[in-house]
Amino acid sequence: MTAAGRSPARKSVPRPSWRSVAIVGVGLIGGSLGLALRKAQAAQHIIGVGPNKASLQVAKRRGAIDQGTSDLKRAVKNADLVVICTPVGMVAPLAIDAANHCSEQCVITDAGSTKSAIVGEISSARGDGRFPSGVAFVGGHPIAGRGSSGPAAAETDLFQDRRVILTPERGKNTAAVRKVTAMWQATGATVSCMSPADHDCLLAASSHLPHVVAAALSATLNARERKHSAGGLADTTRIASGDPKLWLDILQTNAAEVIAVIDRFQIALKELRESIAGDDQRKLTNILRKAKRNRDAL
Amino acid sequence: MTAAGRSPARKSVPRPSWRSVAIVGVGLIGGSLGLALRKAQAAQHIIGVGPNKASLQVAKRRGAIDQGTSDLKRAVKNADLVVICTPVGMVAPLAIDAANHCSEQCVITDAGSTKSAIVGEISSARGDGRFPSGVAFVGGHPIAGRGSSGPAAAETDLFQDRRVILTPERGKNTAAVRKVTAMWQATGATVSCMSPADHDCLLAASSHLPHVVAAALSATLNARERKHSAGGLADTTRIASGDPKLWLDILQTNAAEVIAVIDRFQIALKELRESIAGDDQRKLTNILRKAKRNRDAL
């Protein structure tokens, strides 16, 4: 199910009409989702859930949510959709908690950057009865972000023309997957489905490796070197400015895949190093050309 | 001589008034220099020199030069300042050629991204009489750039608040260094002096390493991985889009320093990898925090 994309396709998808949506975690992603659902008139009522009153107030003032609360149980009681937009490590416990306090018609989904750990935890919670069998969970990940974070940085169009990957449980919950797909399409995103393992392998390369590389580069340079830099270093290290806590979670929950792709990167770097050390003009030119081609095609 | 910076200091520097400036190479750097000198009313006449008629026409139409020519000898004959803004590998030969056809009062400088190779070539040309002893040469490097290139991408403010490093010959040409300093200050840049070796060591870290890392990252990822990326990968690989020929020159003329700093980067990357592989939360957090601190201080 690789669904719909730009405007023409999107028009054919029925607009979702949620009665009550609970967004757990009203940071950049949760806040932007609220704004986008509001713009698409896809939800009648949006409740924001979080421990931080100030964040909830910002989200409400910005129109991302109608109401804020720290009480997850009450927030999900009447929700027909719960979207968990917290750091990765908190997703599964919150989803399990929500599942035990929502109705059976409710669909729970998330926006976590790694999927195997989350889906695995929920699957074992289903296995031992901690996750009610009637409640649907659909893992999700909108591939969108900014250097900045928090509800003040939220943007209505953050997901416009971005990709969202869903990792549904095998053979289960077709209706729930359709609903979550429609929700993301309402924000302007293109939705596709794959397994959690496939997602994590892909994102290790496309997102986690760039972060690791940017962080290593930023950590390498001393103050004098950084002072004598221009836009190149600033661009290359921009994402190293991301929240260390968020990234700790991401890198820890996807460690094996991240290690594997760091090793692939190290091979490419070693080749570049050798072509410089050996003054191998042809090899160096080929690598620089390939790098440019790949970048220009982004 | 670490000179002047923001507006107050700049005001005290006498505005340079060149009669005739020859800019050799009217790409992004040469074109932007022409626009900036024009805006500062620092030159009465600017001649652009290059092999490509179309580029010269663009530079002239944009107001970066008054006149374009492919004839270096004629262009420098009456110039009191020659600025060579070509790829690194062409700077020394063109400087030597210019020195043999300009007046003894003329000052020659350049904008090349590496300095030891250029200054070394000119020094040995002085030694064997190919570079007239009366003509001053001051190596220079404005630390400014864009992803884009060519005179169409030139910007009047490209050097505003940027750093320019000059690498004057030891104990020589104080007057020439003052003149070149004043020229760059007129464009809004802050000028400092250091040895060519110090410059190349510094820039290997602050500019060449980011390029190598961005290129290796861009070359590592396959099409599917690139397709499932967001702004992070785009930022981190942006400079890999730079001209492979320019970068071949830069990396080859600064090979030893670039190798040394790649090795420093590999140590940082290995530490990060080990902290992920060993699930060492404390170490990983420390590296991510340091990376964020360094980036935020840019």
Side-chain angles (χ1 to χ4, degrees):
Chain A
M1 200 205 71
T2 306
R6 312 296 160 111
S7 313
R10 214 177 294 139
K11 273 177 195 154
S12 68
V13 176
R15 172 184 294 165
S17 181
W18 308 95
R19 206 165 23 79
S20 175
V21 175
I23 297 178
V24 185
V26 291
L28 173 70
I29 299 294
S32 297
L33 178 61
L35 290 172
L37 293 179
R38 175 90 58 209
K39 186 186 173 193
Q41 298 179 293
Q44 288 169 40
H45 190 75
I46 302 177
I47 306 182
V49 187
N52 185 331
K53 265 197 180 171
S55 290
L56 292 170
Q57 277 166 357
V58 172
K60 188 175 173 188
R61 201 169 53 236
R62 298 214 44 206
I65 58 175
D66 295 296
Q67 178 191 345
T69 176
S70 60
D71 187 340
L72 179 71
K73 293 173 194 174
R74 277 188 53 200
V76 304
K77 198 180 168 211
N78 296 310
D80 37 12
L81 176 68
V82 176
V83 190
I84 301 175
C85 303
T86 63
V88 164
M90 295 161 65
V91 171
L94 287 168
I96 294 167
D97 206 7
N100 284 287
H101 295 89
C102 65
S103 73
E104 289 237 326
Q105 287 71 46
C106 182
V107 173
I108 302 176
T109 184
D110 78 312
S113 297
T114 61
K115 299 267 63 88
S116 293
I118 291 168
V119 173
E121 275 186 67
I122 286 171
S123 170
S124 62
R126 274 208 201 280
D128 60 24
R130 285 177 294 126
F131 199 107
S133 61
V135 177
F137 177 81
V138 180
H141 176 208
I143 307 176
R146 285 279 179 285
S148 42
S149 61
E155 291 177 33
T156 306
D157 293 331
L158 187 67
F159 309 112
Q160 185 68 49
D161 298 327
R162 292 296 182 178
R163 289 171 185 275
V164 173
I165 296 173
L166 301 184
T167 60
E169 295 166 280
R170 198 167 302 201
K172 272 193 187 168
N173 296 319
T174 322
V177 174
R178 258 202 308 269
K179 284 181 182 177
V180 177
T181 298
M183 176 197 80
W184 284 114
Q185 287 174 346
T187 71
T190 302
V191 179
S192 59
C193 289
M194 60 183 74
S195 72
D198 195 10
H199 168 277
D200 286 2
C201 177
L202 193 56
L203 270 287
S206 68
S207 167
H208 312 164
L209 176 64
H211 196 89
V212 164
V213 164
L217 179 59
S218 180
T220 297
L221 302 193
N222 64 38
R224 182 167 179 254
E225 290 162 348
R226 297 195 306 272
K227 209 171 81 170
H228 287 88
S229 68
L233 180 66
D235 283 345
T236 313
T237 57
R238 180 156 295 128
I239 48 176
S241 192
D243 184 346
K245 269 192 223 159
L246 287 183
W247 280 97
L248 181 74
D249 259 15
I250 293 172
L251 298 176
Q252 285 189 314
T253 55
N254 201 23
E257 296 295 352
V258 172
I259 296 294
V261 81
I262 289 176
D263 292 345
R264 272 172 59 198
F265 171 80
Q266 278 175 326
I267 291 169
L269 182 62
K270 207 177 150 200
E271 269 191 38
L272 241 168
R273 185 193 182 284
E274 277 167 11
S275 70
I276 297 170
D279 202 19
D280 187 339
Q281 179 159 341
R282 201 174 144 200
K283 192 174 172 187
L284 181 52
T285 302
N286 284 343
I287 300 172
L288 293 174
R289 281 197 187 141
K290 182 184 178 187
K292 179 176 169 56
R293 245 190 345 264
N294 284 358
R295 177 56 182 79
D296 290 346
L298 267 193
Chain B
M1 200 204 71
T2 307
R6 312 296 158 111
S7 314
R10 213 176 294 138
K11 273 176 194 156
S12 67
V13 176
R15 171 185 295 167
S17 180
W18 309 96
R19 207 163 23 79
S20 175
V21 175
I23 297 177
V24 185
V26 291
L28 172 70
I29 299 294
S32 297
L33 178 60
L35 290 172
L37 292 180
R38 175 91 59 209
K39 186 186 172 193
Q41 299 180 292
Q44 288 170 39
H45 191 76
I46 303 177
I47 306 181
V49 187
N52 185 330
K53 265 198 180 172
S55 289
L56 291 170
Q57 277 166 356
V58 171
K60 188 175 173 187
R61 200 167 56 235
R62 298 213 45 208
I65 58 175
D66 295 295
Q67 178 191 344
T69 176
S70 60
D71 187 341
L72 179 70
K73 293 172 195 175
R74 276 187 53 198
V76 304
K77 198 181 167 210
N78 296 310
D80 38 10
L81 176 68
V82 177
V83 190
I84 301 175
C85 302
T86 64
V88 165
M90 294 161 65
V91 171
L94 287 168
I96 294 167
D97 206 7
N100 283 287
H101 294 90
C102 66
S103 72
E104 290 237 327
Q105 289 71 47
C106 182
V107 174
I108 302 176
T109 184
D110 78 312
S113 297
T114 62
K115 298 266 65 86
S116 293
I118 290 168
V119 173
E121 276 186 67
I122 286 171
S123 169
S124 63
R126 274 207 200 281
D128 60 22
R130 285 177 295 124
F131 199 107
S133 61
V135 178
F137 177 81
V138 180
H141 177 208
I143 307 176
R146 285 278 178 286
S148 43
S149 59
E155 290 177 33
T156 307
D157 293 331
L158 187 67
F159 309 112
Q160 185 69 48
D161 297 327
R162 293 295 184 179
R163 288 171 186 275
V164 173
I165 297 173
L166 302 184
T167 60
E169 295 168 279
R170 197 167 301 198
K172 271 192 188 168
N173 296 319
T174 320
V177 173
R178 260 202 306 269
K179 285 181 183 176
V180 176
T181 299
M183 177 196 82
W184 284 114
Q185 288 176 346
T187 70
T190 302
V191 179
S192 60
C193 290
M194 60 182 75
S195 72
D198 195 11
H199 168 277
D200 286 2
C201 177
L202 194 56
L203 271 286
S206 69
S207 167
H208 311 164
L209 177 64
H211 196 90
V212 164
V213 164
L217 179 60
S218 180
T220 298
L221 302 193
N222 64 38
R224 182 166 179 255
E225 290 162 347
R226 297 196 305 272
K227 209 171 81 170
H228 287 87
S229 69
L233 180 67
D235 283 345
T236 313
T237 58
R238 180 157 295 126
I239 48 176
S241 192
D243 184 345
K245 269 191 224 162
L246 287 184
W247 279 96
L248 182 73
D249 258 13
I250 292 171
L251 298 176
Q252 285 189 316
T253 55
N254 201 23
E257 296 295 351
V258 172
I259 295 294
V261 81
I262 289 176
D263 292 345
R264 273 173 58 198
F265 171 80
Q266 278 175 326
I267 291 169
L269 182 62
K270 207 177 150 202
E271 268 191 38
L272 241 168
R273 185 193 183 284
E274 277 167 11
S275 70
I276 298 169
D279 201 18
D280 186 338
Q281 179 160 339
R282 202 175 141 199
K283 191 175 172 185
L284 181 51
T285 302
N286 284 343
I287 300 172
L288 293 175
R289 280 197 189 142
K290 182 184 179 187
K292 178 175 169 56
R293 245 188 346 262
N294 284 357
R295 177 56 182 82
D296 290 346
L298 266 192

